[in-house]
Amino acid sequence: MMSSKQEIENILGKAQQAFVAIEKLGISKRVALMRAVASEIEAIGPELITTAQEESHLPEGRLVGEKGRTIFQWRSYADAVERGESLDASIDTAIPDRTPPKPDIRKTTVGLGPVTVFGASNFPFAFSTAGGDTASAIGAGCPVIVKVHPGHPKTSQIMADAITRAVQKSDFPEGTFSHVYCETYEEAQLLVSHPIIKAVGFTGSNKGGMALVEVANKRPDPIPVYAEMGSINPVFLLPEKMKAAASELAKQYVGSLTLGVGQFCTNPGIAIGVQSPELDQFIETFQDEIAKVSPAPMLNAGIAKGYKANREKLVAQSGVNVLAVASTEPSEGCGAATVATALGVDFLINDALQEEVFGPFALIIKCKDADEMLAVTEKLHGQLTATLLATGGDLAENPELIAVIQNKCGRIIFNNFPTGVEVCKSMHHGGPFPSSSNAQYTSVGPDSIKRFVRPLSFQNWPDEFLPEELKNSNPLGIWRTVNNELTKSAIG
Ligand code: NAP
C-alpha cells in the first residue's frame, strides 16, 4: 500500500511532535526503547527469514547471521548511549576572579530532529528498516521515517511492526518511528526536502545518493545527507608478499570477491600490482578459481541486469581483457563471477576503469613498475576500504604509497579482506567522496550516532535546569571532560 502525500504530511507532523517528546523522556528511557526493539526483533519467528529469502534470494545462513548482527547493533548502540558516548559531555567550570571572569560553560549534544532513512537492498535487516541508520538516529534522540526499499517490502513491514511494538510498549510517542511506501521519486524526495526533516541516512547507488544530496542542498536550510555509495575497494599486491604466497592470496581474494554474489559495498573490485612472474601466477590461480564459481541469484532482477550491463560496459573499454567468467552458463537473475585485466597505462587515461560493477567482478591492474603503481593509486577516487597484501618489509619499502592510500580510504587493511565489517567503536565505515557523501562519519558502529546530533553549550545555567549529563552530581555516571580531564567524578 502506497502512502499518499497527505499521509506523508501527517506522518511528518507526528514525527515533529515526537521529537520534542523524546528529548523530555531522557537518556535511560531511550536506552530502554532501543533494547526493547532488539528484543522484539529477536522474538520474530521464522517468517522473517523465509520472507527475506523470498524477496532477496539471500541464503538462510546469511540472513540468520544478519538478524543477529541487527540485534547486536541495537543493543551495542544502546550501551553506547547509556555510556554517554555520543553526548561527549564536557564542562569548564567558572573562574569568577579571572580577568575577564570566565563563565561556567558546559557542552552536550542534542538530536538534530526527524531523520529519513533510505535503506539498502543488499542488507534487508542490518542496513534497512531496522538497520544501523534507524538504530543510530533513534540513539541520537531523533524520530525516524523509513522509506521502504522496494526490493523487500514484506520484510520491511515485519521489521517495522517489531519497532512499532517496542515504541508502544516503551510508551514512546507514535511518531517515533514511521514506515513510508513511495510510488515515485517525487514522494521519496519530499522526505528529504520537507522542512520537518533535519537529516538523511542513505545506502545504495551513487546516482541515488547524489540525487538526494542535491535535493537536500537546494533546500532554503540545507541538511546533511549521510550517503554511503559505491566503492571498488582496491587491493594492493606488494612484491615481497606476492613472492611468498601469490596463489594462496588469489584463492582468498576470489573467496572474498564472490561472497554473497559480490553484493557488498566493501567488495574488492580492483587489484593493483607490478608486473612480475608472481603477479602472473596470482592471475593464473585467480582465473582458475573464478572459473569454478557457480553463478548464483542476485538480490533482484534490476541488480542482476545492472551487474551485466555495468560489466559489459567496463570490459568494452580499450585495453581491458576478460580472463575468466564463471564456467556454468548463468540463468536469468544470476551473477557470473568475472575477472579482467588492464595495464596501468590504460587505467591512468580512462576513468571508466574505476566505475563500480556491483557484483562478483574484479579488474586486475598490471603496472610496469612501482612508480606507475603509485600513479595509479593517486588516480583512484575515494574508497570505503583499501587492502594491502604485504609483508612488514613491503610496508617499510613503500611509505609514499601507503601515505597516498591512507588519504583515499576510510579503512586500511593489512593481510585481511574487506568484506567483513565488524560492528564496534573503532570501525570506520565511510570514506572520502564518492564512497560516501561525508568522510567525517561512519555508518557502522556506535559512532554512527554522532551523525544525527549537534553540540549545544550551556552558559551559566543553574544546575537543577541542566540536562542530566551536565549536572554537577553526574547522575548518569558517564565519562565527562571536566576542566580538560576525563573523569566520572561529580563536581563540587
Ligand atoms: P538505489 O537505486 O540507489 O536505491 C536506494 C534507495 O533510494 C531506494 O529506496 C530507491 O528508491 C531510492 N532512490 C534511488 N534514487 C532515488 C531518487 N533519485 N530519488 C528518490 N529516491 C531514490 O540502490 P539499490 O536499489 O539498493 O541498488 C541499486 C544499485 O545500488 C546497485 O546496483 C549498486 O550499484 C548500488 N548499491 C550499493 C550499495 C553500497 O553499499 N554502496 C548497496 C546496495 C546497492 P526506489 O528503488 O523506489 O527507486
Side-chain angles (χ1 to χ4, degrees):
M1 194 191 67
M2 302 297 161
S3 307
S4 69
K5 272 193 182 166
Q6 189 50 51
E7 277 168 340
I8 291 176
E9 283 290 343
N10 293 343
I11 284 167
L12 294 178
K14 282 185 185 154
Q16 179 61 28
Q17 287 166 12
F19 176 55
V20 179
I22 290 171
E23 187 69 35
K24 289 204 184 103
L25 283 166
I27 299 287
S28 18
K29 289 219 165 109
R30 197 189 306 162
V31 169
L33 166 66
M34 296 171 80
R35 290 179 178 150
V37 173
S39 301
E40 287 294 336
I41 297 172
E42 203 164 36
I44 305 173
E47 73 274 17
L48 178 68
I49 304 293
T50 49
T51 307
Q53 264 183 287
E54 274 164 31
E55 291 189 320
S56 70
H57 307 123
L58 291 169
E60 184 185 357
R62 148 76 198 270
L63 288 167
V64 169
E66 196 184 319
K67 180 183 174 190
R69 178 195 172 105
T70 309
I71 294 163
F72 178 74
Q73 285 178 166
W74 282 94
R75 292 207 169 120
S76 61
Y77 296 6
D79 294 347
V81 173
E82 193 169 50
R83 288 194 297 270
E85 283 176 17
S86 57
L87 300 172
D88 201 13
S90 63
I91 298 172
D92 286 270
T93 52
I95 312 177
D97 53 1
R98 195 192 68 176
T99 311
K102 182 180 175 186
D104 182 285
I105 307 269
R106 302 181 181 214
K107 186 163 74 175
T108 182
T109 63
V110 290
L112 285 178
V115 169
T116 298
V117 170
F118 288 77
S121 52
N122 56 343
F123 281 92
F125 306 155
F127 276 94
S128 189
T129 307
D133 283 351
T134 302
S136 54
I138 298 263
C142 301
V144 169
I145 296 101
V146 165
K147 187 272 183 197
V148 178
H149 197 291
H152 49 261
K154 291 183 195 150
T155 306
S156 189
Q157 188 63 55
I158 296 173
M159 284 299 203
D161 291 344
I163 300 175
T164 304
R165 282 194 298 277
V167 165
Q168 287 165 352
K169 287 181 189 170
S170 310
D171 292 324
F172 268 66
E174 189 190 341
T176 302
F177 174 83
S178 320
H179 192 230
V180 176
Y181 291 86
C182 295
E183 204 156 35
T184 62
Y185 279 169
E186 195 194 344
E187 277 171 17
Q189 290 178 9
L190 181 62
L191 296 173
V192 179
S193 62
H194 198 287
I196 281 177
I197 297 299
K198 293 294 180 250
V200 176
F202 169 92
T203 308
S205 67
N206 197 279
K207 199 170 159 210
M210 288 315 292
L212 301 185
V213 168
E214 200 183 320
V215 172
N217 286 341
K218 278 191 179 150
R219 288 170 52 128
D221 58 337
I223 56 165
V225 175
Y226 299 106
E228 196 247 274
M229 305 178 285
S231 187
I232 53 172
N233 305 296
V235 177
F236 297 88
L237 310 169
L238 288 157
E240 203 172 84
K241 186 71 182 175
M242 290 295 280
K243 276 206 173 87
S247 286
E248 188 48 37
L249 292 171
K251 284 181 190 162
Q252 291 171 6
Y253 192 131
V254 173
S256 174
L257 177 76
T258 57
L259 191 73
V261 207
Q263 299 165 115
F264 290 109
C265 43
T266 50
N267 199 47
I270 191 163
I272 302 161
V274 172
Q275 283 181 323
S276 66
E278 294 78 34
L279 184 64
D280 292 341
Q281 194 190 338
F282 176 87
I283 291 172
E284 204 180 305
T285 310
F286 206 110
Q287 221 171 304
D288 294 346
E289 294 297 309
I290 285 283
K292 289 184 210 159
V293 179
S294 303
M298 298 193 79
L299 289 160
N300 56 55
I303 287 195
K305 208 170 139 207
Y307 172 61
K308 224 171 149 217
N310 293 331
R311 186 187 56 174
E312 294 324 307
K313 194 171 153 204
L314 201 146
V315 301
Q317 301 296 316
S318 166
V320 177
N321 297 309
V322 176
L323 293 182
V325 181
S327 51
T328 328
E329 190 57 35
S331 49
E332 191 78 15
C334 285
T338 304
V339 58
T341 57
L343 295 177
V345 66
D346 294 313
F347 184 86
L348 288 172
I349 55 164
N350 188 355
D351 252 11
L353 297 198
Q354 51 178 322
E355 285 291 315
E356 184 188 28
V357 176
F358 190 71
F361 174 83
L363 181 65
I364 302 174
I365 303 295
K366 301 191 283 186
C367 301
K368 72 172 192 291
D369 54 25
D371 285 346
E372 191 173 80
M373 186 163 173
L374 186 63
V376 164
T377 308
E378 276 164 349
K379 176 99 178 149
L380 282 168
H381 301 151
Q383 306 290 335
L384 293 172
T385 72
T387 300
L388 282 94
L389 299 180
T391 62
D394 286 321
L395 295 190
E397 284 290 304
N398 292 281
E400 202 182 343
L401 178 74
I402 293 160
V404 175
I405 296 171
Q406 282 186 3
N407 284 331
K408 297 279 178 185
C409 69
R411 176 163 54 114
I412 183 160
I413 300 158
F414 180 67
N415 290 339
N416 238 211
F417 283 88
T419 27
V421 184
E422 194 64 37
V423 180
C424 63
K425 180 153 174 71
S426 307
M427 173 54 68
H428 185 76
H429 188 66
F433 185 82
S435 66
S436 73
S437 58
N438 188 328
Q440 291 174 291
Y441 293 97
T442 180
S443 63
V444 173
D447 276 358
S448 60
I449 298 169
K450 294 179 182 167
R451 295 174 298 169
F452 302 115
V453 296
R454 67 179 177 87
L456 176 65
S457 286
F458 289 83
Q459 184 165 333
N460 271 356
W461 270 68
D463 193 67
E464 60 182 306
F465 293 104
L466 281 167
E468 293 164 295
E469 63 269 28
L470 296 181
K471 285 188 196 296
N472 285 338
S473 63
N474 193 13
L476 298 177
I478 59 171
W479 286 103
R480 307 186 297 183
T481 306
V482 179
N483 296 326
N484 300 320
E485 267 183 34
L486 202 56
T487 174
K488 283 189 176 183
S489 301
I491 295 168

